[in-house]
Amino acid sequence: MIDRLQTVEDRYDKLNEMLSDPEIINDTKKLRDYSKEASDLQATVEAYREYKEVVTQLKDAKAMLEDKQLDSEMRDMVKEEVSELEEQQEQLEAKLKILLLPKDPNDDKNVIIEIRGAAGGDEAALFAGDLYKMYSRFAEVQGWKPEIIEASYNDLGGFKEVIFMINGKGAYSKLKFENGAHRVQRVPETESGGRIHTSTATVAVLPEAEQFEIEIHEKDVRVDTFTSSGPGGQSVNTTQSAVRLTHIPTGVVVSCQDEKSQIKNKEKAMKVLRARVYDKFQREHQAELDATRKSAVGTGDRSERIRTYNFPQNRVTDHRIGLTIQKLDQILQGKIDEFIDALVMEDQASRLEEAMKND
């Protein structure tokens, strides 16, 4: 591990040296690539340097204990320092093992989230609306910006489907484990008998794909235009501002009618199309890897039930990690950090265990 960390530190120093080179500064692509690489390595290098300092201090403290002339009071103080330093060393070693794990290249990206009401009719659509508000509020607390791309409403104000983007560094790293079927158990407002109904909504989280990552040729995209419609299907715009894009090679279809401008709708639809095509290729590649290995958490099969929101008991349970939190009301206000942190830790532990097996 130390050899790998020293290699990382050497590369970090070399990158910083190159970033002050006028030739690199004048090359936009190299400057961007090297700056990002240095930024990605910074946390590992800082932790490694702290680790080396602790190891040096620990070595010096243990050497002091070998001094026969050390009085008992000073010896006790040094022993206490040794104990604290050994604990710090252990914590830093654990942290460094995680920092050395291969990083998901999508982690720093913006995300496109697609929520659809599934089983349960109007109640499922209302629950889809609750999930949209939950993620939007979470994003706002992080300082990120949520923006609706496309929405299909039901008559009660819920969403049959809503697609929205969250712009913020690291959004994908936090939200990628939200993929899957979310289940709600509650008494619907329309239910006079007070019976608890179970409904579901599906969530898909896609990393935004940059143009240089996935090339989509104009000749491969069929563009159809139509008039926008609002809740209940009524026409809200007499111009052909709504856009439907079909990627012919993959069959991926995206519609957007949120903007009054056809050009803006096409731009938004293209972002979703690029993300879906990128996601499709990624999933096909991941399926090949998973043929021999199954991650404990992963980014979730979208048909898999991952979480239950039980209103009568004010609880939310994530079935993948067995975590139950009795704060449903707060969670629906966007306070989902406990789940996100636990899922990230579970994923790290799983990948660390796998890495140790392969070493």
Short mmCIF file of all heavy atoms in Angstrom, two decimals, residues 204-250:
data_model
loop_
_atom_site.label_atom_id
_atom_site.label_comp_id
_atom_site.label_asym_id
_atom_site.label_seq_id
_atom_site.Cartn_x
_atom_site.Cartn_y
_atom_site.Cartn_z
N ALA A 204 -34.75 6.21 -11.63
CA ALA A 204 -33.55 5.94 -12.42
C ALA A 204 -32.63 7.16 -12.31
O ALA A 204 -33.08 8.29 -12.49
CB ALA A 204 -33.89 5.67 -13.87
N VAL A 205 -31.38 6.92 -11.97
CA VAL A 205 -30.40 8.01 -11.82
C VAL A 205 -29.32 7.83 -12.88
O VAL A 205 -28.61 6.83 -12.89
CB VAL A 205 -29.76 8.01 -10.42
CG1 VAL A 205 -28.77 9.15 -10.28
CG2 VAL A 205 -30.83 8.10 -9.34
N LEU A 206 -29.22 8.80 -13.80
CA LEU A 206 -28.26 8.72 -14.90
C LEU A 206 -27.21 9.82 -14.76
O LEU A 206 -27.55 10.98 -14.50
CB LEU A 206 -28.96 8.90 -16.25
CG LEU A 206 -30.26 8.13 -16.50
CD1 LEU A 206 -30.79 8.47 -17.88
CD2 LEU A 206 -30.04 6.64 -16.38
N PRO A 207 -25.93 9.49 -14.94
CA PRO A 207 -24.92 10.56 -14.95
C PRO A 207 -25.04 11.34 -16.26
O PRO A 207 -25.28 10.77 -17.32
CB PRO A 207 -23.59 9.78 -14.90
CG PRO A 207 -23.91 8.45 -15.52
CD PRO A 207 -25.34 8.16 -15.16
N GLU A 208 -24.89 12.66 -16.18
CA GLU A 208 -24.93 13.46 -17.40
C GLU A 208 -23.71 13.11 -18.24
O GLU A 208 -22.60 13.05 -17.74
CB GLU A 208 -24.91 14.96 -17.08
CG GLU A 208 -25.01 15.82 -18.33
CD GLU A 208 -24.86 17.31 -18.06
OE1 GLU A 208 -24.38 17.66 -16.96
OE2 GLU A 208 -25.21 18.10 -18.94
N ALA A 209 -23.94 12.86 -19.52
CA ALA A 209 -22.84 12.50 -20.43
C ALA A 209 -22.40 13.71 -21.23
O ALA A 209 -23.22 14.42 -21.81
CB ALA A 209 -23.30 11.38 -21.37
N GLU A 210 -21.10 13.96 -21.23
CA GLU A 210 -20.56 15.05 -22.03
C GLU A 210 -20.49 14.64 -23.50
O GLU A 210 -20.45 13.45 -23.81
CB GLU A 210 -19.15 15.42 -21.53
CG GLU A 210 -19.08 15.83 -20.07
CD GLU A 210 -19.76 17.16 -19.80
OE1 GLU A 210 -19.98 17.91 -20.77
OE2 GLU A 210 -20.05 17.44 -18.63
N GLN A 211 -20.44 15.61 -24.38
CA GLN A 211 -20.42 15.33 -25.81
C GLN A 211 -19.21 14.50 -26.21
O GLN A 211 -19.30 13.63 -27.07
CB GLN A 211 -20.43 16.63 -26.62
CG GLN A 211 -21.84 17.21 -26.76
CD GLN A 211 -21.84 18.46 -27.63
OE1 GLN A 211 -21.33 19.49 -27.22
NE2 GLN A 211 -22.40 18.37 -28.81
N PHE A 212 -18.06 14.75 -25.55
CA PHE A 212 -16.85 14.01 -25.94
C PHE A 212 -16.89 12.57 -25.43
O PHE A 212 -16.10 11.73 -25.86
CB PHE A 212 -15.59 14.73 -25.45
CG PHE A 212 -15.45 14.80 -23.96
CD1 PHE A 212 -14.91 13.75 -23.24
CD2 PHE A 212 -15.87 15.93 -23.26
CE1 PHE A 212 -14.77 13.83 -21.86
CE2 PHE A 212 -15.74 16.01 -21.88
CZ PHE A 212 -15.19 14.95 -21.19
N GLU A 213 -17.81 12.25 -24.50
CA GLU A 213 -17.90 10.89 -23.97
C GLU A 213 -18.80 9.99 -24.82
O GLU A 213 -18.57 8.79 -24.91
CB GLU A 213 -18.45 10.92 -22.54
CG GLU A 213 -17.51 11.54 -21.54
CD GLU A 213 -18.15 11.68 -20.17
OE1 GLU A 213 -19.28 12.18 -20.08
OE2 GLU A 213 -17.51 11.28 -19.19
N ILE A 214 -19.84 10.56 -25.39
CA ILE A 214 -20.76 9.79 -26.20
C ILE A 214 -21.13 10.62 -27.43
O ILE A 214 -21.70 11.69 -27.31
CB ILE A 214 -22.02 9.36 -25.40
CG1 ILE A 214 -22.94 8.51 -26.25
CG2 ILE A 214 -22.75 10.54 -24.82
CD1 ILE A 214 -22.49 7.08 -26.33
N GLU A 215 -20.72 10.14 -28.59
CA GLU A 215 -20.96 10.88 -29.82
C GLU A 215 -22.25 10.40 -30.46
O GLU A 215 -22.40 9.22 -30.77
CB GLU A 215 -19.79 10.70 -30.79
CG GLU A 215 -19.84 11.62 -31.98
CD GLU A 215 -18.58 11.54 -32.85
OE1 GLU A 215 -17.71 10.69 -32.54
OE2 GLU A 215 -18.50 12.31 -33.81
N ILE A 216 -23.18 11.32 -30.64
CA ILE A 216 -24.45 11.01 -31.30
C ILE A 216 -24.52 11.81 -32.59
O ILE A 216 -24.49 13.04 -32.57
CB ILE A 216 -25.64 11.33 -30.38
CG1 ILE A 216 -25.61 10.41 -29.15
CG2 ILE A 216 -26.96 11.20 -31.12
CD1 ILE A 216 -26.74 10.64 -28.17
N HIS A 217 -24.58 11.11 -33.70
CA HIS A 217 -24.62 11.76 -35.01
C HIS A 217 -26.04 12.20 -35.36
O HIS A 217 -27.01 11.49 -35.07
CB HIS A 217 -24.09 10.82 -36.09
CG HIS A 217 -22.67 10.36 -35.85
ND1 HIS A 217 -21.59 11.17 -36.07
CD2 HIS A 217 -22.18 9.18 -35.39
CE1 HIS A 217 -20.48 10.51 -35.77
NE2 HIS A 217 -20.81 9.30 -35.36
N GLU A 218 -26.15 13.36 -35.98
CA GLU A 218 -27.46 13.89 -36.36
C GLU A 218 -28.24 12.92 -37.24
O GLU A 218 -29.45 12.78 -37.11
CB GLU A 218 -27.29 15.23 -37.09
CG GLU A 218 -27.08 16.40 -36.14
CD GLU A 218 -27.20 17.74 -36.86
OE1 GLU A 218 -28.03 17.84 -37.78
OE2 GLU A 218 -26.45 18.65 -36.50
N LYS A 219 -27.53 12.23 -38.14
CA LYS A 219 -28.20 11.30 -39.05
C LYS A 219 -28.83 10.12 -38.30
O LYS A 219 -29.71 9.43 -38.83
CB LYS A 219 -27.22 10.78 -40.09
CG LYS A 219 -26.06 9.95 -39.54
CD LYS A 219 -25.11 9.52 -40.65
CE LYS A 219 -23.91 8.76 -40.10
NZ LYS A 219 -24.27 7.50 -39.44
N ASP A 220 -28.39 9.87 -37.05
CA ASP A 220 -28.91 8.76 -36.26
C ASP A 220 -30.09 9.15 -35.37
O ASP A 220 -30.60 8.34 -34.61
CB ASP A 220 -27.81 8.16 -35.37
CG ASP A 220 -26.73 7.45 -36.19
OD1 ASP A 220 -27.06 6.97 -37.30
OD2 ASP A 220 -25.58 7.38 -35.72
N VAL A 221 -30.49 10.45 -35.44
CA VAL A 221 -31.56 10.94 -34.57
C VAL A 221 -32.74 11.43 -35.41
O VAL A 221 -32.59 12.30 -36.27
CB VAL A 221 -31.06 12.08 -33.66
CG1 VAL A 221 -32.20 12.59 -32.76
CG2 VAL A 221 -29.89 11.62 -32.80
N ARG A 222 -33.91 10.84 -35.16
CA ARG A 222 -35.13 11.33 -35.81
C ARG A 222 -35.78 12.36 -34.89
O ARG A 222 -35.98 12.11 -33.71
CB ARG A 222 -36.11 10.19 -36.10
CG ARG A 222 -37.31 10.65 -36.95
CD ARG A 222 -38.25 9.53 -37.33
NE ARG A 222 -39.05 9.10 -36.21
CZ ARG A 222 -39.04 7.87 -35.70
NH1 ARG A 222 -38.24 6.95 -36.20
NH2 ARG A 222 -39.80 7.56 -34.68
N VAL A 223 -36.12 13.52 -35.45
CA VAL A 223 -36.71 14.60 -34.66
C VAL A 223 -38.17 14.78 -35.06
O VAL A 223 -38.48 14.99 -36.23
CB VAL A 223 -35.96 15.93 -34.88
CG1 VAL A 223 -36.58 17.04 -34.03
CG2 VAL A 223 -34.47 15.77 -34.55
N ASP A 224 -39.09 14.64 -34.10
CA ASP A 224 -40.51 14.89 -34.33
C ASP A 224 -40.94 16.03 -33.42
O ASP A 224 -40.49 16.15 -32.27
CB ASP A 224 -41.35 13.65 -34.00
CG ASP A 224 -40.98 12.46 -34.87
OD1 ASP A 224 -41.04 12.62 -36.10
OD2 ASP A 224 -40.63 11.39 -34.33
N THR A 225 -41.83 16.91 -33.92
CA THR A 225 -42.35 18.01 -33.11
C THR A 225 -43.85 17.87 -32.95
O THR A 225 -44.53 17.31 -33.81
CB THR A 225 -42.03 19.37 -33.75
OG1 THR A 225 -42.61 19.42 -35.05
CG2 THR A 225 -40.52 19.58 -33.84
N PHE A 226 -44.38 18.39 -31.83
CA PHE A 226 -45.81 18.32 -31.56
C PHE A 226 -46.17 19.41 -30.58
O PHE A 226 -45.30 20.07 -30.01
CB PHE A 226 -46.21 16.93 -31.02
CG PHE A 226 -45.44 16.48 -29.80
CD1 PHE A 226 -45.98 16.63 -28.53
CD2 PHE A 226 -44.17 15.92 -29.92
CE1 PHE A 226 -45.28 16.22 -27.41
CE2 PHE A 226 -43.46 15.50 -28.80
CZ PHE A 226 -44.02 15.66 -27.54
N THR A 227 -47.46 19.64 -30.36
CA THR A 227 -47.89 20.70 -29.43
C THR A 227 -47.81 20.20 -28.00
O THR A 227 -48.06 19.03 -27.72
CB THR A 227 -49.33 21.16 -29.72
OG1 THR A 227 -50.19 20.02 -29.68
CG2 THR A 227 -49.42 21.82 -31.08
N SER A 228 -47.47 21.10 -27.08
CA SER A 228 -47.35 20.75 -25.67
C SER A 228 -48.72 20.48 -25.07
O SER A 228 -49.74 20.99 -25.53
CB SER A 228 -46.69 21.89 -24.89
OG SER A 228 -45.43 22.18 -25.44
N SER A 229 -48.74 19.67 -23.99
CA SER A 229 -49.99 19.42 -23.26
C SER A 229 -49.73 19.52 -21.77
O SER A 229 -48.62 19.28 -21.32
CB SER A 229 -50.56 18.05 -23.60
OG SER A 229 -49.65 17.03 -23.24
N GLY A 230 -50.75 19.87 -21.01
CA GLY A 230 -50.60 20.02 -19.57
C GLY A 230 -51.34 18.93 -18.83
O GLY A 230 -51.66 17.88 -19.38
N PRO A 231 -51.66 19.13 -17.52
CA PRO A 231 -52.40 18.15 -16.74
C PRO A 231 -53.72 17.79 -17.42
O PRO A 231 -54.43 18.65 -17.91
CB PRO A 231 -52.63 18.86 -15.40
CG PRO A 231 -51.53 19.87 -15.32
CD PRO A 231 -51.29 20.32 -16.73
N GLY A 232 -53.97 16.48 -17.47
CA GLY A 232 -55.22 16.02 -18.07
C GLY A 232 -55.13 15.91 -19.58
O GLY A 232 -56.07 15.48 -20.25
N GLY A 233 -53.99 16.31 -20.16
CA GLY A 233 -53.78 16.16 -21.58
C GLY A 233 -54.22 17.36 -22.41
O GLY A 233 -54.11 17.36 -23.63
N GLN A 234 -54.75 18.41 -21.76
CA GLN A 234 -55.23 19.55 -22.56
C GLN A 234 -54.07 20.30 -23.18
O GLN A 234 -52.99 20.37 -22.63
CB GLN A 234 -56.07 20.52 -21.71
CG GLN A 234 -55.30 21.37 -20.72
CD GLN A 234 -55.23 20.74 -19.35
OE1 GLN A 234 -55.26 19.51 -19.23
NE2 GLN A 234 -55.12 21.55 -18.31
N SER A 235 -54.29 20.85 -24.38
CA SER A 235 -53.24 21.58 -25.08
C SER A 235 -52.96 22.89 -24.36
O SER A 235 -53.86 23.60 -23.95
CB SER A 235 -53.66 21.87 -26.53
OG SER A 235 -52.66 22.65 -27.18
N VAL A 236 -51.67 23.19 -24.17
CA VAL A 236 -51.29 24.44 -23.50
C VAL A 236 -50.50 25.34 -24.45
O VAL A 236 -50.12 26.43 -24.10
CB VAL A 236 -50.47 24.18 -22.22
CG1 VAL A 236 -51.31 23.45 -21.20
CG2 VAL A 236 -49.20 23.41 -22.53
N ASN A 237 -50.26 24.84 -25.65
CA ASN A 237 -49.47 25.62 -26.60
C ASN A 237 -49.91 25.24 -28.01
O ASN A 237 -49.97 24.07 -28.35
CB ASN A 237 -47.98 25.29 -26.40
CG ASN A 237 -47.09 26.32 -27.07
OD1 ASN A 237 -47.53 27.02 -27.97
ND2 ASN A 237 -45.84 26.39 -26.63
N THR A 238 -50.22 26.22 -28.82
CA THR A 238 -50.70 25.93 -30.18
C THR A 238 -49.54 25.77 -31.17
O THR A 238 -49.75 25.34 -32.30
CB THR A 238 -51.62 27.07 -30.68
OG1 THR A 238 -50.91 28.31 -30.59
CG2 THR A 238 -52.89 27.14 -29.85
N THR A 239 -48.32 26.11 -30.77
CA THR A 239 -47.17 25.94 -31.66
C THR A 239 -46.53 24.57 -31.44
O THR A 239 -46.70 23.96 -30.38
CB THR A 239 -46.12 27.03 -31.41
OG1 THR A 239 -45.65 26.93 -30.06
CG2 THR A 239 -46.71 28.40 -31.64
N GLN A 240 -45.78 24.13 -32.45
CA GLN A 240 -45.12 22.82 -32.37
C GLN A 240 -43.81 22.95 -31.58
O GLN A 240 -42.71 22.77 -32.12
CB GLN A 240 -44.84 22.33 -33.79
CG GLN A 240 -46.06 22.16 -34.67
CD GLN A 240 -46.70 20.79 -34.47
OE1 GLN A 240 -46.04 19.77 -34.45
NE2 GLN A 240 -48.02 20.77 -34.31
N SER A 241 -43.92 23.28 -30.29
CA SER A 241 -42.71 23.53 -29.50
C SER A 241 -42.17 22.27 -28.83
O SER A 241 -40.98 22.19 -28.50
CB SER A 241 -42.99 24.58 -28.43
OG SER A 241 -44.02 24.14 -27.56
N ALA A 242 -43.03 21.27 -28.62
CA ALA A 242 -42.58 20.04 -27.97
C ALA A 242 -41.76 19.21 -28.96
O ALA A 242 -42.02 19.22 -30.17
CB ALA A 242 -43.77 19.24 -27.48
N VAL A 243 -40.76 18.50 -28.44
CA VAL A 243 -39.82 17.77 -29.29
C VAL A 243 -39.71 16.32 -28.83
O VAL A 243 -39.65 16.05 -27.63
CB VAL A 243 -38.42 18.43 -29.26
CG1 VAL A 243 -37.40 17.59 -30.02
CG2 VAL A 243 -38.48 19.83 -29.85
N ARG A 244 -39.67 15.41 -29.79
CA ARG A 244 -39.41 13.99 -29.50
C ARG A 244 -38.20 13.56 -30.31
O ARG A 244 -38.16 13.73 -31.54
CB ARG A 244 -40.61 13.12 -29.86
CG ARG A 244 -40.41 11.63 -29.53
CD ARG A 244 -41.58 10.77 -29.99
NE ARG A 244 -42.82 11.19 -29.35
CZ ARG A 244 -43.81 11.80 -29.98
NH1 ARG A 244 -43.72 12.09 -31.27
NH2 ARG A 244 -44.91 12.14 -29.34
N LEU A 245 -37.18 13.02 -29.64
CA LEU A 245 -35.97 12.55 -30.30
C LEU A 245 -35.91 11.03 -30.23
O LEU A 245 -36.13 10.45 -29.16
CB LEU A 245 -34.72 13.13 -29.64
CG LEU A 245 -34.60 14.66 -29.56
CD1 LEU A 245 -33.28 15.05 -28.91
CD2 LEU A 245 -34.71 15.29 -30.94
N THR A 246 -35.62 10.38 -31.34
CA THR A 246 -35.47 8.92 -31.38
C THR A 246 -34.07 8.60 -31.88
O THR A 246 -33.69 9.00 -33.00
CB THR A 246 -36.50 8.27 -32.31
OG1 THR A 246 -37.81 8.64 -31.90
CG2 THR A 246 -36.36 6.76 -32.29
N HIS A 247 -33.29 7.91 -31.04
CA HIS A 247 -31.96 7.48 -31.45
C HIS A 247 -32.11 6.14 -32.17
O HIS A 247 -32.35 5.12 -31.55
CB HIS A 247 -31.04 7.34 -30.21
CG HIS A 247 -29.62 7.06 -30.56
ND1 HIS A 247 -28.96 5.93 -30.15
CD2 HIS A 247 -28.72 7.77 -31.30
CE1 HIS A 247 -27.71 5.95 -30.60
NE2 HIS A 247 -27.55 7.05 -31.30
N ILE A 248 -31.99 6.18 -33.47
CA ILE A 248 -32.32 5.02 -34.30
C ILE A 248 -31.47 3.78 -33.98
O ILE A 248 -32.02 2.68 -33.85
CB ILE A 248 -32.21 5.40 -35.80
CG1 ILE A 248 -33.25 6.50 -36.12
CG2 ILE A 248 -32.45 4.18 -36.70
CD1 ILE A 248 -33.05 7.20 -37.43
N PRO A 249 -30.15 3.89 -33.77
CA PRO A 249 -29.34 2.67 -33.51
C PRO A 249 -29.74 1.93 -32.24
O PRO A 249 -29.64 0.70 -32.18
CB PRO A 249 -27.91 3.22 -33.39
CG PRO A 249 -27.92 4.50 -34.16
CD PRO A 249 -29.28 5.08 -33.92
N THR A 250 -30.17 2.66 -31.20
CA THR A 250 -30.49 2.00 -29.92
C THR A 250 -31.99 1.94 -29.64
O THR A 250 -32.42 1.20 -28.75
CB THR A 250 -29.81 2.75 -28.75
OG1 THR A 250 -30.30 4.10 -28.72
CG2 THR A 250 -28.30 2.74 -28.90
#
